[in-house]
Amino acid sequence: MSQSLKTPLGKVRGLGSAKSGTDHFWMQRLTAIANVPLAVAFVILLALTIGKPHAVQAATLANPIAAILVLLFVVAGVWHMRLGMQVVIEDYVPNEGRRIAFIVINTFFAAVVAVASIYAVFKISFGA
Amino acid sequence: MASNGSTGRPLSPHLQVYRFSLLMALSILHRATGIALYLGTLIVVWWLVAVASGPAALAFWQMVFLNPLGLLVLFGYTWALFHHMMGGIRHLVWDTGARLDVASAKSTAMFSTIAAFALTILVWIVAFMVR
Ligand code: HEM
């Protein structure tokens, strides 16, 4: 067994035989599929409202269908981008401490983007 | 063969050993557009928060983006989104085991590249028409 390609750390953790990787892969694909119609809807919304005055944009985003589509795009998009960026980090950051730090930052970034967007859409929809 | 210092495990050959091709460019671009979209979400959150904050905040967002340079950034964002979307659909098809041969990969590469440009142009024609 001295010729194993596994690192000592890899052996101790015992990951790699479909412990958590399958879920990552699957959610990446699931959110990718969801993103296709949602991204198209979002871009159309953006194109239709971009130069319009505030009252028009707020009224458009307050429309339940528009608001729900934007919320779905935010959730599926942020989830997908967090998983995708984690793979990029794992590919390019060999130092383990730094890699974990980047993965933490990645998750925080995703959380801030998601919460800020959802808060904004709620505020536009419910007023105050 | 290159090896990875401490563990002695082999490394796969990196970019510089391959001849340039459309397929390779698209492979790189899928990752590059993914990263660009990651940063581009900041434009999206900023827009949503600006609309939620009121007319002054939205006016500032529009001042930043509704000029030649800002529009270029937005064109880039929408192109990246459509390009990554078309590339993503290619990946999803490959995941089923279909279209993995070189000839199919080349034809879907051409198709998705052209479709991404076409969709981008279409969306901005609509945007300028309803303005
Ligand atoms: C519009 C529909 C979208 C589809 C169909 C899609 C599809 C995909 C797929 C299939 C992958 C995995 C590629 C691989 O295995 O190498 C991927 C990776 C990725 N996606 Fe998306 N995606 C979409 C939208 C987005 C959005 C909106 C973002 C960012 C906000 C994003 C960011 C990323 C990132 C960062 C990666 C990792 C890139 C890499 O590993 O090379 N994607 N996407």
Side-chain angles (χ1 to χ4, degrees), chain A residues 5-8 25 29 32-33 35-36 39-40 42-43 45-54 57-58 61 70 73-74 80-82 85 87-88 91-92 105-106 109-110 113 116-117 120-121 123-124, chain B residues 7 9-10 14 31 34-35 37-39 41-42 44-45 47-56 58 61-62 65-66 71 74 77-78 81-82 84-85 88-89 91-92 95 123-124 126-128 130-131:
Chain A
L5 286 176
K6 273 192 169 177
T7 61
F25 178 91
R29 309 299 132 156
I33 296 167
N35 270 336
V36 175
V40 171
F42 178 77
V43 171
L45 186 71
L46 189 69
L48 292 177
T49 56
I50 187 156
K52 297 280 195 297
H54 180 265
Q57 294 204 11
L61 283 169
V70 172
F73 179 57
V74 167
H80 174 90
M81 81 172 187
R82 175 178 160 267
M85 188 55 79
V87 176
V88 174
D91 280 353
Y92 299 140
I105 294 169
N106 182 37
F109 179 82
V113 168
S117 306
V121 174
K123 181 154 189 281
I124 295 162
Chain B
T7 61
R9 298 156 86 210
H14 199 51
R31 176 158 281 195
I35 295 169
L37 290 171
Y38 186 95
L39 300 173
T41 53
L42 289 174
V44 175
V45 203
W47 175 52
L48 293 172
V49 172
V51 178
S53 301
L58 180 63
W61 188 92
Q62 288 177 323
F65 288 106
L66 299 188
L71 282 172
L74 293 180
Y77 174 79
T78 46
L81 189 57
F82 283 130
H84 185 91
M85 181 181 88
I89 294 170
H91 270 91
L92 293 170
D95 287 343
V123 155
W124 286 99
V126 171
F128 281 106
V130 302
R131 187 164 60 106

Side-chain angles (χ1 to χ4, degrees), chain A residues 37-114:
Chain A
L38 295 173
V40 171
F42 178 77
V43 171
I44 291 173
L45 186 71
L46 189 69
L48 292 177
T49 56
I50 187 156
K52 297 280 195 297
H54 180 265
V56 176
Q57 294 204 11
T60 308
L61 283 169
N63 173 287
I65 302 212
I68 290 167
L69 284 172
V70 172
L71 288 171
L72 287 172
F73 179 57
V74 167
V75 172
V78 165
W79 197 337
H80 174 90
M81 81 172 187
R82 175 178 160 267
L83 293 172
M85 188 55 79
Q86 184 176 328
V87 176
V88 174
I89 293 168
E90 286 164 352
D91 280 353
Y92 299 140
V93 188
N95 175 285
E96 175 156 51
R98 223 173 296 165
R99 183 165 64 239
I100 292 173
F102 274 119
I103 289 175
V104 169
I105 294 169
N106 182 37
T107 301
F108 287 176
F109 179 82
V112 170
V113 168

